[in-house]
Short mmCIF file of all heavy atoms in Angstrom, two decimals:
data_model
loop_
_atom_site.label_atom_id
_atom_site.label_comp_id
_atom_site.label_asym_id
_atom_site.label_seq_id
_atom_site.Cartn_x
_atom_site.Cartn_y
_atom_site.Cartn_z
N PRO R 168 -9.42 -16.80 2.39
CA PRO R 168 -8.60 -17.08 3.57
C PRO R 168 -7.54 -18.15 3.28
O PRO R 168 -6.44 -18.09 3.83
CB PRO R 168 -9.62 -17.56 4.60
CG PRO R 168 -10.90 -16.86 4.21
CD PRO R 168 -10.87 -16.85 2.72
N ASP R 169 -7.87 -19.12 2.43
CA ASP R 169 -6.90 -20.16 2.06
C ASP R 169 -5.68 -19.54 1.38
O ASP R 169 -4.54 -19.98 1.60
CB ASP R 169 -7.53 -21.19 1.13
CG ASP R 169 -8.45 -22.15 1.88
OD1 ASP R 169 -8.24 -22.34 3.09
OD2 ASP R 169 -9.38 -22.69 1.26
N ASP R 170 -5.92 -18.53 0.53
CA ASP R 170 -4.80 -17.85 -0.13
C ASP R 170 -3.91 -17.17 0.91
O ASP R 170 -2.67 -17.24 0.82
CB ASP R 170 -5.33 -16.79 -1.12
CG ASP R 170 -6.07 -17.40 -2.29
OD1 ASP R 170 -5.71 -18.52 -2.70
OD2 ASP R 170 -7.02 -16.77 -2.79
N ILE R 171 -4.54 -16.50 1.86
CA ILE R 171 -3.78 -15.80 2.90
C ILE R 171 -2.98 -16.78 3.74
O ILE R 171 -1.80 -16.55 4.06
CB ILE R 171 -4.72 -14.98 3.80
CG1 ILE R 171 -5.53 -13.97 2.97
CG2 ILE R 171 -3.94 -14.27 4.90
CD1 ILE R 171 -4.69 -12.95 2.24
N VAL R 172 -3.61 -17.92 4.08
CA VAL R 172 -2.92 -18.94 4.87
C VAL R 172 -1.70 -19.46 4.11
O VAL R 172 -0.63 -19.68 4.71
CB VAL R 172 -3.88 -20.10 5.22
CG1 VAL R 172 -3.11 -21.30 5.76
CG2 VAL R 172 -4.90 -19.65 6.24
N SER R 173 -1.83 -19.66 2.80
CA SER R 173 -0.70 -20.13 2.00
C SER R 173 0.46 -19.15 2.07
O SER R 173 1.63 -19.55 2.20
CB SER R 173 -1.14 -20.31 0.54
OG SER R 173 -2.11 -21.32 0.42
N ILE R 174 0.15 -17.87 1.97
CA ILE R 174 1.19 -16.83 2.01
C ILE R 174 1.88 -16.82 3.38
O ILE R 174 3.11 -16.82 3.47
CB ILE R 174 0.57 -15.44 1.73
CG1 ILE R 174 0.09 -15.37 0.27
CG2 ILE R 174 1.57 -14.33 2.02
CD1 ILE R 174 -0.81 -14.19 -0.03
N LEU R 175 1.08 -16.84 4.45
CA LEU R 175 1.64 -16.77 5.80
C LEU R 175 2.40 -18.04 6.18
O LEU R 175 3.42 -17.99 6.87
CB LEU R 175 0.53 -16.49 6.81
CG LEU R 175 -0.24 -15.17 6.62
CD1 LEU R 175 -1.32 -15.03 7.66
CD2 LEU R 175 0.72 -13.99 6.68
N ALA R 176 1.87 -19.17 5.72
CA ALA R 176 2.51 -20.46 6.04
C ALA R 176 3.91 -20.53 5.45
O ALA R 176 4.85 -21.05 6.09
CB ALA R 176 1.66 -21.62 5.54
N GLU R 177 4.08 -20.02 4.24
CA GLU R 177 5.39 -20.05 3.60
C GLU R 177 6.41 -19.24 4.41
O GLU R 177 7.56 -19.65 4.60
CB GLU R 177 5.28 -19.50 2.18
CG GLU R 177 6.48 -19.84 1.29
CD GLU R 177 7.67 -18.93 1.52
OE1 GLU R 177 7.46 -17.76 1.91
OE2 GLU R 177 8.81 -19.39 1.33
N ILE R 178 5.95 -18.08 4.91
CA ILE R 178 6.85 -17.24 5.72
C ILE R 178 7.19 -17.95 7.03
O ILE R 178 8.34 -17.98 7.47
CB ILE R 178 6.19 -15.88 6.02
CG1 ILE R 178 5.79 -15.17 4.71
CG2 ILE R 178 7.13 -14.98 6.82
CD1 ILE R 178 4.95 -13.93 4.91
N HIS R 179 6.15 -18.53 7.66
CA HIS R 179 6.33 -19.25 8.92
C HIS R 179 7.28 -20.44 8.75
O HIS R 179 8.17 -20.67 9.57
CB HIS R 179 4.97 -19.72 9.44
CG HIS R 179 5.06 -20.61 10.63
ND1 HIS R 179 5.21 -20.11 11.91
CD2 HIS R 179 5.03 -21.96 10.75
CE1 HIS R 179 5.27 -21.13 12.76
NE2 HIS R 179 5.15 -22.26 12.09
N ASN R 180 7.11 -21.19 7.66
CA ASN R 180 7.89 -22.41 7.45
C ASN R 180 9.37 -22.15 7.18
O ASN R 180 10.20 -23.04 7.36
CB ASN R 180 7.30 -23.22 6.29
CG ASN R 180 5.95 -23.82 6.65
OD1 ASN R 180 5.64 -24.00 7.83
ND2 ASN R 180 5.14 -24.11 5.65
N ARG R 181 9.69 -20.95 6.76
CA ARG R 181 11.11 -20.65 6.57
C ARG R 181 11.74 -20.09 7.84
O ARG R 181 12.88 -19.64 7.85
CB ARG R 181 11.31 -19.68 5.40
CG ARG R 181 10.80 -18.26 5.61
CD ARG R 181 11.24 -17.36 4.45
NE ARG R 181 10.86 -15.99 4.63
CZ ARG R 181 9.96 -15.34 3.90
NH1 ARG R 181 9.35 -15.97 2.92
NH2 ARG R 181 9.70 -14.07 4.13
N GLY R 182 10.95 -20.12 8.93
CA GLY R 182 11.48 -19.74 10.23
C GLY R 182 11.31 -18.28 10.59
O GLY R 182 11.84 -17.82 11.61
N SER R 183 10.57 -17.53 9.78
CA SER R 183 10.38 -16.09 10.04
C SER R 183 9.02 -15.85 10.69
O SER R 183 8.11 -15.27 10.08
CB SER R 183 10.50 -15.30 8.73
OG SER R 183 11.73 -15.56 8.10
N GLU R 184 8.88 -16.30 11.93
CA GLU R 184 7.58 -16.19 12.60
C GLU R 184 7.17 -14.73 12.82
O GLU R 184 6.01 -14.37 12.62
CB GLU R 184 7.62 -16.93 13.94
CG GLU R 184 7.68 -18.44 13.79
CD GLU R 184 7.41 -19.16 15.10
OE1 GLU R 184 7.08 -18.48 16.09
OE2 GLU R 184 7.52 -20.39 15.13
N ALA R 185 8.11 -13.92 13.27
CA ALA R 185 7.78 -12.52 13.51
C ALA R 185 7.37 -11.82 12.22
O ALA R 185 6.44 -11.01 12.19
CB ALA R 185 8.98 -11.80 14.14
N GLU R 186 8.06 -12.16 11.11
CA GLU R 186 7.72 -11.59 9.80
C GLU R 186 6.33 -12.03 9.37
O GLU R 186 5.55 -11.25 8.81
CB GLU R 186 8.76 -12.05 8.76
CG GLU R 186 8.47 -11.61 7.32
CD GLU R 186 8.81 -10.15 7.07
OE1 GLU R 186 9.11 -9.42 8.03
OE2 GLU R 186 8.76 -9.75 5.90
N SER R 187 5.97 -13.28 9.68
CA SER R 187 4.64 -13.79 9.35
C SER R 187 3.56 -12.99 10.06
O SER R 187 2.54 -12.63 9.47
CB SER R 187 4.55 -15.28 9.73
OG SER R 187 3.23 -15.76 9.54
N VAL R 188 3.79 -12.69 11.33
CA VAL R 188 2.84 -11.90 12.11
C VAL R 188 2.74 -10.49 11.54
O VAL R 188 1.65 -9.93 11.41
CB VAL R 188 3.25 -11.85 13.60
CG1 VAL R 188 2.37 -10.88 14.37
CG2 VAL R 188 3.15 -13.25 14.22
N ARG R 189 3.88 -9.93 11.17
CA ARG R 189 3.89 -8.56 10.63
C ARG R 189 3.17 -8.50 9.29
O ARG R 189 2.36 -7.58 9.05
CB ARG R 189 5.33 -8.09 10.47
CG ARG R 189 5.46 -6.62 10.09
CD ARG R 189 6.89 -6.15 10.20
NE ARG R 189 7.68 -6.59 9.07
CZ ARG R 189 7.87 -5.85 7.96
NH1 ARG R 189 7.29 -4.66 7.86
NH2 ARG R 189 8.61 -6.30 6.98
N VAL R 190 3.42 -9.47 8.41
CA VAL R 190 2.77 -9.49 7.10
C VAL R 190 1.26 -9.68 7.27
O VAL R 190 0.46 -9.07 6.55
CB VAL R 190 3.36 -10.59 6.20
CG1 VAL R 190 2.53 -10.77 4.93
CG2 VAL R 190 4.79 -10.24 5.82
N ARG R 191 0.87 -10.52 8.22
CA ARG R 191 -0.58 -10.71 8.47
C ARG R 191 -1.22 -9.39 8.87
O ARG R 191 -2.32 -9.05 8.39
CB ARG R 191 -0.80 -11.75 9.58
CG ARG R 191 -2.27 -12.03 9.84
CD ARG R 191 -2.48 -12.92 11.05
NE ARG R 191 -3.90 -13.19 11.26
CZ ARG R 191 -4.74 -12.36 11.87
NH1 ARG R 191 -4.29 -11.19 12.34
NH2 ARG R 191 -6.01 -12.66 12.00
N ALA R 192 -0.57 -8.64 9.74
CA ALA R 192 -1.12 -7.35 10.18
C ALA R 192 -1.22 -6.38 9.01
O ALA R 192 -2.22 -5.66 8.86
CB ALA R 192 -0.24 -6.77 11.28
N ILE R 193 -0.20 -6.38 8.15
CA ILE R 193 -0.21 -5.49 6.98
C ILE R 193 -1.34 -5.87 6.03
O ILE R 193 -2.07 -5.01 5.52
CB ILE R 193 1.15 -5.54 6.25
CG1 ILE R 193 2.26 -4.94 7.12
CG2 ILE R 193 1.07 -4.79 4.92
CD1 ILE R 193 3.66 -5.11 6.55
#
Side-chain angles (χ1 to χ4, degrees):
D169 284 334
D170 294 328
I171 302 299
V172 167
S173 296
I174 292 167
L175 299 179
E177 196 280 331
I178 304 171
H179 173 82
N180 290 338
R181 68 172 184 248
S183 304
E184 290 193 5
E186 176 77 351
S187 174
V188 172
R189 188 169 78 93
V190 170
R191 183 187 181 278
I193 293 172

